Amino acid sequence: ELPAGQRHFLHVDDLSTAEVREVLDLAKRIKATLAAGGPGYRPFADQTLAMVFTKPSCRTRVSFESGFRRLGGHALCLGEEVGIGTREATKDVARVLASMNELLMARLYAHADMLELAQFSKVPVVNGLTDYNHPCQIVADALTIEEVVPDGSIEGKKVVYVGDGNNIVHSWLELACVVPFDFVCACPSGFEPDAELVERVAKSGVGSARVVVDDPTGAVSGADVIYADVWASMGQKEEAATREAVNEALLAATGRDDTLFLHCLPAERGREVSDGVMESAQSHVFRQAENRMHAQNAIMVFCAGAARPAA
Ligand code: CP
Ligand code: NVA
Protein backbone atom coordinates (compact mmCIF):
# COMPACT_ATOMS: atom_id res chain seq x y z
CA GLU A 1 0.00 0.00 0.00
CA LEU A 2 1.30 3.41 -0.97
CA PRO A 3 0.67 6.51 1.13
CA ALA A 4 -2.15 8.76 -0.08
CA GLY A 5 -1.12 10.87 -3.06
CA GLN A 6 1.46 8.37 -4.32
CA ARG A 7 1.13 6.02 -7.29
CA HIS A 8 2.93 3.27 -9.14
CA PHE A 9 3.38 3.60 -12.92
CA LEU A 10 3.29 0.11 -14.40
CA HIS A 11 1.03 0.54 -17.45
CA VAL A 12 0.12 3.69 -19.38
CA ASP A 13 -3.54 3.15 -18.58
CA ASP A 14 -2.85 3.10 -14.86
CA LEU A 15 -3.48 6.79 -15.60
CA SER A 16 -6.90 8.15 -16.53
CA THR A 17 -7.41 10.30 -19.62
CA ALA A 18 -7.13 13.44 -17.49
CA GLU A 19 -4.03 12.14 -15.71
CA VAL A 20 -2.18 11.36 -18.97
CA ARG A 21 -2.92 14.92 -20.06
CA GLU A 22 -1.67 16.17 -16.69
CA VAL A 23 1.59 14.18 -17.03
CA LEU A 24 2.19 15.36 -20.61
CA ASP A 25 1.60 18.99 -19.64
CA LEU A 26 3.79 18.56 -16.56
CA ALA A 27 6.57 17.10 -18.75
CA LYS A 28 6.43 20.18 -21.00
CA ARG A 29 6.58 22.49 -17.97
CA ILE A 30 9.45 20.64 -16.28
CA LYS A 31 11.37 20.53 -19.58
CA ALA A 32 10.95 24.29 -19.99
CA THR A 33 11.89 24.89 -16.35
CA LEU A 34 15.13 22.90 -16.72
CA ALA A 35 15.93 24.62 -20.02
CA ALA A 36 15.44 28.07 -18.47
CA GLY A 37 17.97 27.35 -15.69
CA GLY A 38 17.69 29.93 -12.92
CA PRO A 39 16.80 29.12 -9.31
CA GLY A 40 16.67 25.39 -8.97
CA TYR A 41 13.52 23.34 -9.19
CA ARG A 42 14.58 20.51 -6.85
CA PRO A 43 11.51 18.44 -5.90
CA PHE A 44 13.69 15.39 -5.09
CA ALA A 45 16.34 17.18 -3.00
CA ASP A 46 18.10 14.69 -0.70
CA GLN A 47 16.06 11.79 -2.05
CA THR A 48 17.23 8.60 -3.73
CA LEU A 49 15.88 6.55 -6.62
CA ALA A 50 16.94 2.89 -6.76
CA MET A 51 17.06 1.45 -10.28
CA VAL A 52 17.26 -2.28 -10.93
CA PHE A 53 18.25 -3.58 -14.38
CA THR A 54 18.19 -7.21 -15.42
CA LYS A 55 18.34 -6.26 -19.12
CA PRO A 56 20.72 -3.93 -20.99
CA SER A 57 19.90 -0.24 -21.39
CA CYS A 58 21.30 3.07 -22.60
CA ARG A 59 18.37 5.50 -22.69
CA THR A 60 16.46 4.20 -19.67
CA ARG A 61 19.49 4.14 -17.41
CA VAL A 62 20.77 7.56 -18.43
CA SER A 63 17.42 9.33 -18.62
CA PHE A 64 16.34 8.23 -15.13
CA GLU A 65 19.72 8.89 -13.53
CA SER A 66 20.27 12.23 -15.23
CA GLY A 67 16.66 13.27 -14.76
CA PHE A 68 16.49 12.44 -11.07
CA ARG A 69 19.80 14.26 -10.49
CA ARG A 70 18.56 17.35 -12.32
CA LEU A 71 15.56 17.37 -9.99
CA GLY A 72 17.85 17.41 -6.96
CA GLY A 73 18.10 13.71 -6.10
CA HIS A 74 20.57 10.89 -6.45
CA ALA A 75 19.95 7.65 -8.39
CA LEU A 76 21.56 4.29 -7.67
CA CYS A 77 22.00 1.92 -10.57
CA LEU A 78 21.80 -1.75 -9.59
CA GLY A 79 22.37 -4.58 -12.00
CA GLU A 80 22.54 -8.32 -11.88
CA GLU A 81 24.26 -8.26 -8.46
CA VAL A 82 20.86 -7.78 -6.82
CA GLY A 83 19.76 -11.15 -8.19
CA ILE A 84 16.12 -10.13 -8.09
CA GLY A 85 14.05 -13.32 -8.06
CA THR A 86 17.18 -15.49 -8.09
CA ARG A 87 19.52 -14.50 -5.25
CA GLU A 88 16.56 -13.14 -3.30
CA ALA A 89 12.78 -13.20 -3.66
CA THR A 90 11.36 -10.23 -5.56
CA LYS A 91 9.06 -9.40 -2.65
CA ASP A 92 12.05 -9.24 -0.30
CA VAL A 93 14.05 -7.00 -2.64
CA ALA A 94 10.96 -4.77 -2.88
CA ARG A 95 10.82 -4.22 0.87
CA VAL A 96 14.56 -3.73 1.30
CA LEU A 97 14.86 -1.17 -1.50
CA ALA A 98 11.68 0.65 -0.44
CA SER A 99 13.02 1.03 3.10
CA MET A 100 15.97 3.17 1.93
CA ASN A 101 14.75 5.00 -1.20
CA GLU A 102 11.87 7.32 -2.05
CA LEU A 103 11.32 5.80 -5.52
CA LEU A 104 12.07 2.54 -7.36
CA MET A 105 12.51 1.95 -11.07
CA ALA A 106 13.02 -1.48 -12.60
CA ARG A 107 13.67 -3.08 -15.98
CA LEU A 108 12.80 -6.76 -15.70
CA TYR A 109 11.97 -9.74 -17.90
CA ALA A 110 8.69 -11.05 -16.47
CA HIS A 111 5.84 -8.58 -16.06
CA ALA A 112 4.63 -10.61 -13.06
CA ASP A 113 7.88 -9.70 -11.27
CA MET A 114 7.19 -5.99 -11.90
CA LEU A 115 3.71 -6.40 -10.41
CA GLU A 116 5.16 -8.22 -7.40
CA LEU A 117 7.78 -5.52 -6.88
CA ALA A 118 5.02 -2.91 -6.79
CA GLN A 119 2.77 -5.00 -4.59
CA PHE A 120 5.43 -5.22 -1.87
CA SER A 121 6.91 -1.72 -2.20
CA LYS A 122 5.76 1.08 0.09
CA VAL A 123 7.22 3.64 -2.35
CA PRO A 124 6.21 4.24 -5.99
CA VAL A 125 7.55 1.79 -8.57
CA VAL A 126 8.08 2.94 -12.17
CA ASN A 127 8.22 0.29 -14.89
CA GLY A 128 11.28 0.75 -17.11
CA LEU A 129 10.29 -2.12 -19.49
CA THR A 130 9.26 -5.73 -19.14
CA ASP A 131 8.70 -8.43 -21.74
CA TYR A 132 5.08 -7.23 -21.76
CA ASN A 133 5.24 -3.43 -21.97
CA HIS A 134 7.28 -0.20 -21.90
CA PRO A 135 5.01 2.57 -20.60
CA CYS A 136 7.63 5.30 -20.02
CA GLN A 137 8.70 5.04 -23.65
CA ILE A 138 5.22 5.62 -24.97
CA VAL A 139 4.61 8.67 -22.75
CA ALA A 140 7.89 10.09 -24.16
CA ASP A 141 6.67 9.26 -27.67
CA ALA A 142 3.36 11.05 -27.12
CA LEU A 143 5.28 14.07 -25.79
CA THR A 144 7.49 14.01 -28.91
CA ILE A 145 4.50 13.88 -31.24
CA GLU A 146 2.87 16.79 -29.40
CA GLU A 147 6.06 18.85 -29.74
CA VAL A 148 6.35 18.24 -33.48
CA VAL A 149 2.88 18.14 -35.05
CA PRO A 150 1.51 21.56 -36.06
CA ASP A 151 -1.58 21.44 -33.82
CA GLY A 152 0.43 20.24 -30.79
CA SER A 153 -1.81 17.29 -29.99
CA ILE A 154 -1.64 13.52 -30.45
CA GLU A 155 -5.44 13.39 -30.38
CA GLY A 156 -6.99 12.20 -33.63
CA LYS A 157 -3.62 11.28 -35.16
CA LYS A 158 -2.93 8.00 -37.00
CA VAL A 159 0.11 6.19 -35.54
CA VAL A 160 1.29 3.13 -37.49
CA TYR A 161 3.73 0.76 -35.85
CA VAL A 162 5.68 -1.45 -38.26
CA GLY A 163 7.18 -4.61 -36.73
CA ASP A 164 6.23 -7.39 -34.37
CA GLY A 165 3.51 -7.01 -31.77
CA ASN A 166 5.80 -6.61 -28.75
CA ASN A 167 6.13 -4.68 -25.48
CA ILE A 168 6.22 -1.34 -27.31
CA VAL A 169 2.97 -2.17 -29.12
CA HIS A 170 1.34 -3.16 -25.84
CA SER A 171 2.06 0.24 -24.35
CA TRP A 172 0.76 1.98 -27.48
CA LEU A 173 -2.43 -0.02 -26.99
CA GLU A 174 -2.54 1.02 -23.32
CA LEU A 175 -2.24 4.65 -24.44
CA ALA A 176 -5.12 4.19 -26.90
CA CYS A 177 -7.29 3.08 -23.95
CA VAL A 178 -6.98 6.56 -22.44
CA VAL A 179 -6.11 8.94 -25.30
CA PRO A 180 -8.25 9.37 -28.43
CA PHE A 181 -5.99 8.56 -31.40
CA ASP A 182 -5.87 5.79 -34.03
CA PHE A 183 -3.27 3.10 -33.54
CA VAL A 184 -2.40 0.55 -36.22
CA CYS A 185 -0.03 -2.36 -35.64
CA ALA A 186 1.32 -3.59 -39.00
CA CYS A 187 2.93 -6.91 -38.15
CA PRO A 188 3.91 -10.15 -39.82
CA SER A 189 1.50 -13.02 -39.41
CA GLY A 190 2.23 -14.91 -36.20
CA PHE A 191 3.57 -11.78 -34.43
CA GLU A 192 0.29 -10.14 -33.43
CA PRO A 193 0.03 -8.27 -30.11
CA ASP A 194 -2.00 -9.48 -27.12
CA ALA A 195 -5.57 -9.83 -28.45
CA GLU A 196 -7.11 -9.04 -25.06
CA LEU A 197 -5.35 -5.68 -25.04
CA VAL A 198 -6.52 -4.87 -28.58
CA GLU A 199 -10.03 -5.68 -27.38
CA ARG A 200 -9.57 -3.46 -24.33
CA VAL A 201 -8.97 -0.45 -26.60
CA ALA A 202 -12.28 -1.09 -28.37
CA LYS A 203 -14.08 -1.43 -25.02
CA SER A 204 -12.52 1.79 -23.72
CA GLY A 205 -14.43 3.84 -26.29
CA VAL A 206 -11.49 6.29 -26.29
CA GLY A 207 -8.90 5.51 -28.99
CA SER A 208 -9.00 2.94 -31.77
CA ALA A 209 -6.69 -0.02 -32.47
CA ARG A 210 -6.31 -2.15 -35.58
CA VAL A 211 -3.95 -5.02 -36.37
CA VAL A 212 -2.95 -5.29 -40.04
CA VAL A 213 -1.17 -8.51 -40.97
CA ASP A 214 1.43 -8.71 -43.76
CA ASP A 215 0.55 -5.37 -45.38
CA PRO A 216 2.70 -2.51 -44.02
CA THR A 217 2.40 -0.57 -47.27
CA GLY A 218 -1.38 -0.51 -47.06
CA ALA A 219 -1.31 0.13 -43.31
CA VAL A 220 0.78 3.31 -43.46
CA SER A 221 -1.52 5.13 -45.88
CA GLY A 222 -2.27 8.60 -44.48
CA ALA A 223 -0.20 8.00 -41.33
CA ASP A 224 0.78 10.96 -39.17
CA VAL A 225 3.47 8.80 -37.54
CA ILE A 226 5.39 5.68 -38.57
CA TYR A 227 7.01 3.93 -35.63
CA ALA A 228 9.57 1.12 -35.66
CA ASP A 229 11.39 -1.00 -33.09
CA VAL A 230 14.08 -3.67 -33.16
CA TRP A 231 13.13 -6.87 -34.94
CA ALA A 232 14.13 -9.07 -32.05
CA SER A 233 13.53 -7.69 -28.56
CA MET A 234 15.95 -8.21 -25.68
CA GLY A 235 15.84 -11.77 -24.45
CA GLN A 236 14.05 -13.06 -27.55
CA LYS A 237 15.69 -15.50 -29.85
CA GLU A 238 16.50 -14.11 -33.26
CA GLU A 239 13.36 -14.84 -35.25
CA ALA A 240 13.48 -15.86 -38.88
CA ALA A 241 10.15 -14.29 -39.85
CA THR A 242 10.14 -11.83 -42.70
CA ARG A 243 9.60 -8.31 -41.47
CA GLU A 244 9.24 -5.15 -43.45
CA ALA A 245 11.93 -2.51 -43.03
CA VAL A 246 10.99 1.14 -42.84
CA ASN A 247 12.69 2.68 -45.85
CA GLU A 248 12.08 5.65 -48.13
CA ALA A 249 9.50 3.69 -50.16
CA LEU A 250 7.43 2.87 -47.08
CA LEU A 251 7.62 6.46 -45.86
CA ALA A 252 6.40 7.60 -49.32
CA ALA A 253 3.55 5.06 -49.14
CA THR A 254 1.88 7.29 -46.53
CA GLY A 255 0.98 9.59 -49.44
CA ARG A 256 2.18 12.53 -47.32
CA ASP A 257 5.49 14.33 -46.90
CA ASP A 258 5.00 15.35 -43.29
CA THR A 259 4.72 11.93 -41.64
CA LEU A 260 6.93 11.70 -38.54
CA PHE A 261 9.30 8.77 -38.23
CA LEU A 262 9.88 7.54 -34.67
CA HIS A 263 11.93 4.61 -33.31
CA CYS A 264 12.35 3.87 -29.60
CA LEU A 265 16.01 2.91 -30.26
CA PRO A 266 18.36 1.11 -30.29
CA ALA A 267 17.93 0.80 -34.07
CA GLU A 268 19.77 -1.57 -36.31
CA ARG A 269 20.32 0.65 -39.33
CA GLY A 270 19.96 -1.08 -42.65
CA ARG A 271 17.74 -3.70 -41.07
CA GLU A 272 14.50 -2.49 -39.49
CA VAL A 273 15.13 1.05 -40.76
CA SER A 274 17.24 2.51 -43.55
CA ASP A 275 19.97 5.05 -42.87
CA GLY A 276 18.16 7.49 -45.12
CA VAL A 277 14.97 7.39 -43.04
CA MET A 278 16.90 7.63 -39.75
CA GLU A 279 18.69 10.78 -40.96
CA SER A 280 15.77 12.38 -42.82
CA ALA A 281 14.06 15.60 -41.77
CA GLN A 282 11.01 13.47 -40.96
CA SER A 283 12.93 11.50 -38.32
CA HIS A 284 12.63 12.68 -34.72
CA VAL A 285 14.32 9.74 -33.01
CA PHE A 286 16.85 11.76 -31.01
CA ARG A 287 14.27 14.25 -29.74
CA GLN A 288 12.31 11.16 -28.78
CA ALA A 289 15.29 9.72 -26.86
CA GLU A 290 15.86 13.00 -24.98
CA ASN A 291 12.17 13.17 -24.17
CA ARG A 292 12.51 9.96 -22.18
CA MET A 293 14.10 12.11 -19.49
CA HIS A 294 11.46 14.83 -19.59
CA ALA A 295 8.53 12.41 -19.66
CA GLN A 296 9.95 10.37 -16.79
CA ASN A 297 10.69 13.46 -14.71
CA ALA A 298 6.98 14.22 -14.96
CA ILE A 299 6.02 10.62 -14.22
CA MET A 300 8.23 10.58 -11.11
CA VAL A 301 6.90 13.93 -9.84
CA PHE A 302 3.34 12.74 -10.48
CA CYS A 303 3.86 9.32 -8.84
CA ALA A 304 5.68 10.70 -5.80
CA GLY A 305 3.17 13.53 -5.34
CA ALA A 306 6.22 15.85 -5.39
CA ALA A 307 6.17 19.63 -5.81
CA ARG A 308 5.40 20.89 -9.32
CA PRO A 309 7.34 23.76 -10.93
CA ALA A 310 5.97 27.21 -10.12
CA ALA A 311 3.52 28.25 -12.86
N1 CP B 1 14.29 2.86 -25.74
C1 CP B 1 14.90 2.31 -24.69
O1 CP B 1 14.30 1.90 -23.70
O2 CP B 1 16.27 2.27 -24.78
P1 CP B 1 17.24 1.45 -23.82
O3 CP B 1 16.91 0.00 -24.00
O4 CP B 1 18.63 1.79 -24.28
O5 CP B 1 17.00 1.87 -22.39
N1 NVA C 1 11.12 -4.14 -27.92
C1 NVA C 1 12.44 -3.73 -27.52
C2 NVA C 1 12.40 -2.34 -26.95
C3 NVA C 1 13.75 -1.79 -26.58
C4 NVA C 1 13.68 -0.44 -25.96
C5 NVA C 1 13.00 -4.72 -26.51
O1 NVA C 1 12.24 -5.14 -25.63
O2 NVA C 1 14.16 -5.05 -26.63
XYZ file of all heavy atoms in Angstrom, residues 56-60 107 134 137 234 264-265 292, ligand 1:
108
model
N 19.874 -5.073 -20.602
C 20.716 -3.930 -20.985
C 19.901 -2.655 -21.192
O 18.684 -2.718 -21.399
C 21.328 -4.371 -22.318
C 21.054 -5.818 -22.460
C 19.875 -6.137 -21.611
N 20.575 -1.521 -21.155
C 19.901 -0.238 -21.391
C 20.906 0.869 -21.644
O 21.980 0.877 -21.026
C 19.061 0.140 -20.176
O 18.568 1.461 -20.325
N 20.557 1.805 -22.492
C 21.297 3.075 -22.601
C 20.352 4.190 -22.159
O 20.552 4.848 -21.145
C 21.782 3.294 -24.031
S 22.456 4.934 -24.327
N 19.272 4.397 -22.943
C 18.367 5.499 -22.688
C 17.707 5.442 -21.312
O 17.617 6.456 -20.618
C 17.238 5.551 -23.739
C 17.648 6.197 -25.041
C 16.982 5.509 -26.187
N 17.569 4.195 -26.295
C 18.684 3.918 -27.006
N 19.260 4.858 -27.682
N 19.207 2.696 -27.032
N 17.219 4.285 -20.921
C 16.460 4.198 -19.670
C 17.363 4.507 -18.483
O 17.021 5.303 -17.607
C 15.820 2.808 -19.562
O 15.028 2.616 -20.740
C 14.936 2.696 -18.327
N 13.779 -2.500 -14.631
C 13.667 -3.079 -15.976
C 13.871 -4.581 -15.792
O 14.961 -5.029 -15.427
C 14.722 -2.485 -16.907
C 14.910 -3.316 -18.153
C 15.710 -2.600 -19.214
N 14.926 -1.555 -19.831
C 15.243 -0.958 -20.981
N 16.333 -1.290 -21.631
N 14.473 -0.021 -21.492
N 6.241 -1.231 -22.083
C 7.281 -0.205 -21.898
C 6.586 1.159 -21.796
O 6.681 2.002 -22.687
C 8.237 -0.246 -23.092
C 9.533 0.479 -22.874
N 9.879 1.085 -21.690
C 10.598 0.689 -23.728
C 11.079 1.634 -21.808
N 11.536 1.401 -23.030
N 8.345 4.743 -22.263
C 8.700 5.038 -23.651
C 7.530 5.683 -24.387
O 7.702 6.679 -25.099
C 9.106 3.733 -24.359
C 9.436 3.916 -25.822
C 10.733 4.671 -26.039
O 11.773 4.274 -25.525
N 10.683 5.760 -26.790
N 14.989 -7.662 -26.634
C 15.955 -8.215 -25.676
C 15.417 -9.494 -25.050
O 14.277 -9.523 -24.591
C 16.227 -7.191 -24.577
C 16.976 -5.985 -25.063
S 17.266 -4.800 -23.744
C 15.733 -3.873 -23.745
N 12.000 3.762 -31.029
C 12.355 3.874 -29.605
C 13.852 3.736 -29.374
O 14.342 4.158 -28.336
C 11.578 2.858 -28.785
S 11.781 1.159 -29.354
N 14.570 3.150 -30.341
C 16.013 2.913 -30.265
C 16.319 1.889 -29.155
O 15.591 1.853 -28.182
C 16.804 4.205 -30.045
C 16.565 5.325 -31.070
C 17.442 6.532 -30.709
C 16.880 4.865 -32.498
N 12.638 10.956 -23.250
C 12.514 9.958 -22.179
C 12.741 10.638 -20.829
O 12.005 10.403 -19.866
C 13.529 8.829 -22.388
C 13.226 7.895 -23.551
C 12.002 7.065 -23.290
N 12.127 6.299 -22.048
C 12.810 5.152 -21.917
N 13.391 4.608 -22.970
N 12.873 4.529 -20.750
N 14.292 2.857 -25.739
C 14.903 2.307 -24.692
O 14.300 1.899 -23.704
O 16.272 2.272 -24.783
P 17.238 1.451 -23.824
O 16.905 -0.003 -23.997
O 18.633 1.790 -24.284
O 17.003 1.875 -22.394
